[in-house]
Amino acid sequence: MRAVVAVLLLVTAAHAAIWGIFREQQQAPDFRGILPSVSYAPFDGTGHPDVDNIPNAERIRSDLKTLAPLSRAIRLYSSTGGVELVPPIAGEVGLKVTVGAWIDKNVDRNEREMLSAIDLVKHNSNVNGIVVGNETIYRGEQKVEDLIKLIQRVKGQVNVPVTTGEIWNIWLEHPELASSVDFIAAHILPYWEGFSDTKAVDQALIIYQKLRDAFPGKRIVIAEFGWPSAGYNLKDAVPGPFEQAVTLRNFVNRAEAIGMEYNIVEAIDQPWKFFEGGVGPYWGILNAAREPKFAWSGPVVDPAYWKLAGIALLIGILLSTPILRLAQPSAMQSFMLSAAAHGVGAWVATVFAYWNGHYFVFGSALALTLGLILLVPLVCIAMARIEEIAAVAFGRAPVRLLKKPPPATVASPPLALAASSAEAVRADADQVGDVVAEAPKMPKVSIHIPAYFEPPDMLKQTLDAVARLDYPNFECVVIINNTPDPEFTQPIQDHCRELGERFKFINAEKVEGFKAGALRIAMERTAADAEIIGIIDADYMVEPDWLKDLVPAFDDPRVGLVQAPQDHRDGDRSLMHYIMNGEYAGFFDIGMVQRNELNAIIVHGTMCLIRRAAMEMVGGWAGDTICEDSDLGLEIIEHGWLTHYTNHRYGYGLLPDTYEAFKKQRHRWAYGGFQIIKKHWRRFLPGASRLTPDQRREFALGWLNWLGAESLGVVVAILNLIWVPIVAFADIAIPDKILTLPIIASFVVTLAHFLVLYRLRVKITVPRMLGAMIAAMSVQWTVSRAVAQGLITEHLAFARTSKGGFSLMSVEFQAFWEAVIGVLLLVGAAVLVASNAYKEVHEIYIFAAVLVLQSLPFLAAVAIAILENSRINSFAFWKNTGVRTAELIGLRPVALPKTVPAAMPAPQPVVSEIHRDTV
């Protein structure tokens, strides 16, 4: 434990050091003077000035008192709508005012604006000029000749300089406009031209000189220069608090040095300008709370930096504390978990900084909140997967896993059980009580085999395998339910007679409760002295030592259930079946092994042994879910029984015949799993059952990691599709550090989780592992549909999984909706990239990359559906292709056909198509 604490302290110290190392501090020229002028808009909040954002005298007076020590003058952009209150109040605090008259296509408003501006000049001696229109020509609101007429009209009625505010190139393109004004009011905003902050000041001075050269002797005022403190980049122009501070401090120093007249845009952030792209609200040197964003002298630093560091460290420490509850974690395991916890802490600090550093209208606040709500379970899932990686890669070896006894010890004892170590026994004793040691015995086992329209030949193979069991005390109850066709029942009944009195045959019609109903009937026909119930599916051929090896685990009276893994004997039927079988193996070699360490396994209804007393205690098979096996297993665990798992294969069944059957099986499992959640969630409350905290956590995380992850993936993908037109055409981007990058990080964690754990635990080749990954991704839509149906329905009909090679492939394409969503995601990504060609906003490119990643599970389903119907799905195709290729390149001689007498046809060799995986 000391080593673990030391590791946690080390990671915390390293995290703090990283914050210290990456603390940004930039140098810029000090400015200790007073700015000549700043743009001022007396509005507050997100309401639009033309609708519901009317300034009042108290707010204006407070603002101008704040600005008076910073600037000698202010520039206005309108003279109506409450802005007319500004000049007289500015006079109270000694501020000069350049009045603005807003000009657009509204003739009546233009008239009111000009009359009000003229009136303000006549009644306020601190007004030093009028700006008639702001970027009116650039916006196309007026023709040049019409604007000149308005300027001349105002000039004729006032005795202060009159001009108009335009982007610098408009002045160069329309020299007649320059001739009509008293001075040139040029806007130079390098951000909007895509220049980086390091080039912004140089660019402004170059343009200033161009204007001086074009209009010698004319008074030139840079009426707008500024840099945004937040928002999205435009080509090389990146907004930010450091960029704003350094750019403005550089600019004012160089402007003062050459005697430039200038106005800084703007005084105070304007949250209502959210329609001006991502940067609209963030041009102020004061934030919306009227607080300075940066200092005009000294190093440029983030004053809230250490507060954010404290939040990150605190969250990281809090999320690291559960590591102390782990059973003997290794140093590397603790390091990995703590590092992940501190990574989440850094993300939370980033979210906090973004929330405090940005302004939100209702829609953006709702979208951000929804995004963060969806990210919380995504982060939890990623953390759970990192924990599993750490446990498997660096944690202790499993101690509760049942091991197959070596041949020399089969007789005494009949079971080699890793949980027999003193450590594991103590762990189990903490939950149930003292271990009761009994001599090995051979309790009677009743093996139940439910069947529903199963091919008779396949079921006969299952029964023959049971007959070969190397165990002296068992019976076998075969129950065929709701199968009226005698072609399915009579051969099995006859076969049971041939196998002897151990085999009981039941043909039950009109059975309710699906498979559970059939198993209840089987229990009624079970021998009275049977102590253990074995369950196998109709397609499973068990190994002879199944019972001999696993029944001795029940010598411990606390053990209620022993589960062996599923595996399949037809994984070499096709390439699709080959990768499907690899996908199944991951659950049984990774997840089940880890869950077994906490006595929290998932019971699946084959290769399962259940103590009869435990089954009767929980009420037997329940028919209210379509995953009666997992439901029963959880009931047994909730009543305090111990369960054990072995990852040794004691039986082999058949894979689903088609991709359609594979998806239907996964849909049934997911829907049944959601039914179990709805049925059992109250028993996860404190004191509601005998579940331990670790068991509650393991089941909850297991459901979240499977049902939640798949459903969340689909929900987020669809929401992102909805966002595509908004992002592409409304100048809005998804914040990368708090929303899109975590999605990418989660994908990377999921990918690493699959690849690392498969390489460490699952004995399959790398190509098959990659195929298994595609198969696992391909059912995301299927699982999410099952969860959605579970939310709105209580019951669905039990769907039998077609096996044995007797099912025909559907004529329908089995990944239609996956293809639709996958293609839409790719099209959405393409639209984002194309629409971003000019702006080159980084966040939009990242969002497009997220859409591509989110399309992969849908496209995986499309790939398997196409594979199933193609020639390359057959191993014979690959073998023949290899032979032909070898012959073409001369690696293998071409065999000439032999002449064979007609009476003696040449025998055809039987080619083995069995493929073996090697690690």
Side-chain angles (χ1 to χ4, degrees), residues 659 778 813 815-820 822 857-867:
Y659 184 50
S778 75
F813 184 62
F816 174 78
W817 287 111
E818 291 94 329
V820 169
F858 301 99
L859 298 180
V862 175
I864 295 180
I866 294 173
L867 171 68

Side-chain angles (χ1 to χ4, degrees), residues 11-22:
V11 173
T12 302
H15 187 194
I18 290 172
W19 278 90
I21 292 171
F22 286 96

Side-chain angles (χ1 to χ4, degrees), residues 470-754:
D470 184 12
Y471 191 82
N473 194 13
F474 76 89
E475 68 171 6
C476 181
V477 180
V478 183
I479 176 166
I480 299 181
N481 67 96
N482 300 326
T483 308
D485 190 343
E487 291 187 5
F488 289 90
T489 57
Q490 191 60 49
I492 303 305
Q493 184 175 9
D494 295 340
H495 198 65
C496 286
R497 290 196 188 101
E498 294 174 7
L499 291 175
E501 60 182 10
R502 281 184 172 183
F503 289 79
K504 301 178 181 178
F505 175 82
I506 304 173
N507 184 9
E509 298 183 0
K510 298 181 180 179
V511 176
E512 296 182 356
F514 311 118
K515 183 178 177 180
L519 290 172
R520 284 197 297 268
I521 296 173
M523 283 297 297
E524 296 172 0
R525 298 283 298 272
T526 297
D529 58 342
E531 299 180 33
I532 298 169
I533 308 299
I535 310 296
I536 60 174
D537 282 346
D539 59 310
Y540 262 76
M541 295 177 63
V542 296
E543 295 292 304
D545 50 2
W546 173 43
L547 299 183
K548 178 180 65 178
D549 285 356
L550 298 186
V551 168
F554 290 94
D555 290 350
D556 182 349
R558 303 168 304 158
V559 173
L561 184 147
V562 175
Q563 179 71 63
Q566 294 184 21
D567 208 337
H568 308 91
R569 61 185 184 270
D570 59 343
D572 294 327
R573 284 170 55 188
S574 69
L575 184 57
M576 181 189 71
H577 289 89
Y578 185 69
I579 64 175
M580 280 167 47
N581 201 26
E583 192 271 342
Y584 284 106
F587 175 73
F588 297 106
D589 285 332
I590 301 169
M592 286 289 284
V593 173
Q594 293 305 114
R595 297 177 70 101
N596 182 60
E597 294 301 292
L598 299 173
N599 189 31
I601 63 173
I602 298 290
V603 175
H604 39 277
T606 189
M607 304 306 300
C608 181
L609 298 173
I610 306 172
R611 189 184 294 274
R612 187 173 189 171
M615 181 180 289
E616 291 174 348
M617 175 184 287
V618 302
W621 297 100
D624 52 355
T625 74
I626 58 175
C627 282
E628 69 296 319
D629 41 13
S630 299
D631 180 31
L632 177 65
L634 182 53
E635 289 273 7
I636 289 173
I637 295 172
E638 286 170 345
H639 281 74
W641 291 90
L642 292 183
T643 61
H644 280 300
Y645 176 71
T646 177
N647 62 347
H648 180 79
R649 272 52 175 176
Y650 285 100
Y652 297 86
L654 297 176
L655 288 162
D657 282 337
T658 63
Y659 184 50
E660 179 185 19
F662 177 67
K663 292 176 66 178
K664 283 183 177 180
Q665 182 189 61
R666 200 58 55 96
H667 182 280
R668 173 165 57 85
W669 289 352
Y671 185 85
F674 198 78
Q675 284 182 309
I676 291 172
I677 293 175
K678 293 195 294 185
K679 177 179 177 179
H680 288 262
W681 70 267
R682 292 179 182 84
R683 301 180 200 177
F684 280 67
L685 301 176
S689 69
R690 297 184 66 180
L691 289 173
T692 67
D694 285 337
Q695 288 172 327
R696 291 189 179 95
R697 176 181 175 278
E698 194 65 30
F699 275 102
L701 282 179
W703 288 324
L704 179 65
N705 211 3
W706 179 39
L707 302 178
E710 305 289 20
S711 303
L712 196 62
V714 172
V715 170
V716 173
I718 292 175
L719 288 176
N720 283 345
L721 273 177
I722 295 172
W723 269 101
V724 165
I726 300 173
V727 172
F729 307 114
D731 285 332
I732 294 175
I734 307 296
D736 55 354
K737 293 183 180 64
I738 65 172
L739 291 180
T740 51
L741 288 179
I743 293 175
I744 295 176
S746 176
F747 178 84
V748 171
V749 168
T750 300
L751 187 65
H753 177 265
F754 191 96

